[in-house]
Amino acid sequence: MRNGQDNAVGSPPKFRDGRNSRQKARAAGLDPDCWYVVEHDNGIKKGQVKEVVFWGTSIALYRGEDGQLAAVHNRCPHRQIKLSKGVVQNCKLHCMYHGWTFDREGWLVDYSHDSFGKPLLKKQLRTYPVQVRYGFIWLFPGDPEKAVAHPIPEIPELEGDNPWASVPIDFTWDAHHSMIIDNVCDFAHAFLHRKYRPFTDAKLRHYESDDNRVYLTYDTFMGGGRISGMFVDRKRVNTKFIEICYEYPYQWSNTGGSIKHWCFLLPINERRTRVFFLFYFDAFKIPATSLKMPQKLTQFVLRVSNSLLFKPLLSEDGIALEAEQHAYDHHWDEPPIELNPAVPLFQQLTVQKWENYLARTEVQTVKGPKQAVG
Ligand code: FES
Ligand SMILES: [Fe+2]
């Protein structure tokens, strides 16, 4: 199916039409019946409203003057304009146009700004469960009844009186979420990071998968950069080995039980993903000594490292991923060449979970309506 040029004909296939796991993965969504990070907790101030988008569904997320969050369907039932363009007063959301007012449960509680009397209007917007954890705002875009049964992942290192030092970083990349999983789990791209050398000489040692995750380990050399290398305590921490897991729909890594991260994806649409990284460390060492750095100082070093190291390093991935998305849009029918045997497993897991979700919604549609996104 060539057009005589270097490009495939037409657009990449939809999920149902994909001819291999890669094509299907590149069109798959992420299961809405999970919690997703949608914003940093400090990214929404009291009295502020923002639009967040989960797989094409627009949601108005706002914080009342009492500090409590709420998330509602982002469309005013009057003229269908986005409520995220409106204003928050006290704990209610007012549409920007005629001022129709909604409470946290989505009920239309006031439309008296309109001077045509007050016919009895009973309207309720769809609402979404939200909660704050680990410095992020989490939202459950699927069936709210499933929110308790599908909890937010536990990060015990960030709980209690002595939490590890941590740093959150986020990016919005013009790339499908499955490409990002391939990127963060596949250590074959040390060349891209030859300046910062976060990992080198990676050899896949082990990989396995089940219905919910793909787990793999690499023998590699972690944190080999000139600056980062000064803070890593190689006597205490084994930096020659890393565990990585695509724990659907999240991803994490663990180096020596002391350097860890989670990656939380917010799939905006088929070509755009917001990605939230959370790195956390039990402690660095004080450079040129073997002394363990106090937690507060580690936190300070991390904050400085954010703009000096983490951001520029991960931006390299963003540039490569956006180039890959652009390339895929033009060459989606090229047969995949994949040397890392774990990469097809990431794609198969994404595909299988999306198949399961579609099958569930089909059953619901037959049985009777239950609102869902897809
Ligand atoms: S469009 Fe929202 S109140 Fe009129
Ligand atoms: Fe990378």
Side-chain angles (χ1 to χ4, degrees):
M1 285 243 299
R2 316 298 296 177
N3 63 1
Q5 300 295 311
D6 197 22
N7 292 344
V9 175
S11 307
K14 296 284 175 209
F15 183 73
R16 289 272 176 240
D17 303 326
R19 289 198 300 267
N20 54 52
S21 292
R22 185 184 65 156
Q23 288 180 354
K24 286 176 102 60
R26 298 293 185 249
L30 287 176
D31 189 342
D33 288 330
C34 298
W35 288 91
Y36 289 87
V37 172
V38 292
E39 190 48 90
H40 301 277
D41 185 27
N42 60 11
I44 298 197
K45 309 273 175 271
K46 285 180 186 172
Q48 198 180 4
V49 57
K50 272 191 182 175
E51 177 184 31
V52 299
V53 179
F54 178 88
W55 203 241
T57 297
S58 180
I59 298 163
L61 177 67
Y62 73 95
R63 195 188 288 275
E65 302 292 355
D66 63 353
Q68 297 301 306
L69 291 160
V72 297
H73 185 56
N74 195 10
R75 186 140 59 83
C76 177
H78 186 206
R79 301 271 174 87
Q80 321 304 325
I81 68 178
K82 286 186 175 176
L83 290 165
S84 54
K85 293 178 186 294
V87 292
V88 179
Q89 284 174 358
N90 296 318
C91 299
K92 301 200 174 65
L93 181 58
H94 299 253
C95 179
M96 66 169 288
Y97 199 178
H98 309 89
W100 285 21
T101 306
F102 302 87
D103 68 11
R104 276 202 187 101
E105 283 71 51
W107 284 107
L108 173 64
V109 289
D110 191 7
Y111 43 97
S112 55
H113 319 277
D114 200 316
S115 57
F116 298 101
K118 219 173 171 188
L120 194 63
L121 270 182
K122 207 165 166 12
K123 290 268 175 218
Q124 188 181 22
L125 305 167
R126 181 182 175 180
T127 60
Y128 297 85
V130 276
Q131 57 175 308
V132 172
R133 209 154 174 205
Y134 311 126
F136 293 123
I137 299 170
W138 298 75
L139 182 144
F140 197 88
D143 179 351
E145 286 173 20
K146 295 185 175 152
V148 175
H150 297 84
I152 289 171
E154 293 292 330
I155 313 180
E157 296 85 350
L158 300 184
E159 311 271 9
D161 296 336
N162 258 328
W164 290 13
S166 62
V167 61
I169 307 169
D170 79 281
F171 299 87
T172 299
W173 287 331
D174 286 327
H176 189 273
H177 56 83
S178 66
M179 275 178 199
I180 298 175
I181 289 296
D182 291 358
N183 167 271
V184 290
C185 293
D186 174 23
F187 272 22
H189 68 281
F191 182 78
L192 175 70
H193 300 307
R194 57 199 177 279
K195 182 172 169 196
Y196 297 102
R197 300 168 65 84
F199 53 86
T200 44
D201 303 324
K203 307 225 168 9
L204 184 66
R205 187 203 269 190
H206 171 82
Y207 62 98
E208 62 186 47
S209 65
D210 62 26
D211 291 347
N212 296 305
R213 62 182 219 158
V214 181
Y215 172 85
L216 55 159
T217 64
Y218 290 97
D219 288 326
T220 181
F221 185 67
M222 296 296 295
R226 213 160 34 89
I227 306 289
S228 59
M230 294 194 311
F231 293 94
V232 178
D233 189 348
R234 299 194 194 281
K235 282 203 187 106
R236 197 172 53 82
V237 182
N238 179 6
T239 54
K240 294 187 175 151
F241 178 75
I242 186 168
E243 292 177 285
I244 293 180
C245 191
Y246 175 26
E247 189 154 339
Y248 187 94
Y250 319 116
Q251 188 261 358
W252 57 259
S253 78
N254 173 16
T255 303
S258 287
I259 303 170
K260 300 189 177 187
H261 96 271
W262 280 89
C263 168
F264 303 116
L265 302 168
L266 174 63
I268 295 171
N269 61 37
E270 288 185 6
R271 285 179 180 74
R272 179 163 263 228
T273 308
R274 192 168 177 195
V275 50
F276 295 86
F277 292 96
L278 182 61
F279 293 92
Y280 49 110
F281 300 74
D282 72 342
F284 290 137
K285 79 178 177 75
I286 296 172
T289 73
S290 55
L291 297 174
K292 201 169 166 180
M293 196 180 273
Q295 199 266 4
K296 278 215 168 77
L297 188 54
T298 303
Q299 186 66 56
F300 173 76
V301 170
L302 272 185
R303 215 169 297 140
V304 174
S305 315
N306 194 344
S307 49
L308 291 180
L309 177 64
F310 291 110
K311 269 206 176 134
L313 165 64
L314 290 164
S315 296
E316 293 178 331
D317 291 299
I319 290 165
L321 283 162
E322 292 187 350
E324 183 178 357
Q325 180 68 58
H326 180 81
Y328 181 72
D329 286 343
H330 290 83
H331 307 291
W332 49 268
D333 66 345
E334 289 292 335
I337 298 178
E338 188 49 69
L339 304 180
N340 185 338
V343 170
L345 300 180
F346 310 142
Q347 296 168 1
Q348 284 159 24
L349 180 55
T350 298
V351 170
Q352 190 54 56
K353 289 286 190 181
W354 192 240
E355 294 273 15
N356 296 351
Y357 165 69
L358 294 176
R360 281 203 313 276
T361 48
E362 270 159 28
V363 170
Q364 279 165 2
T365 311
V366 172
K367 273 199 205 154
K370 202 166 205 183
Q371 221 176 343
V373 286

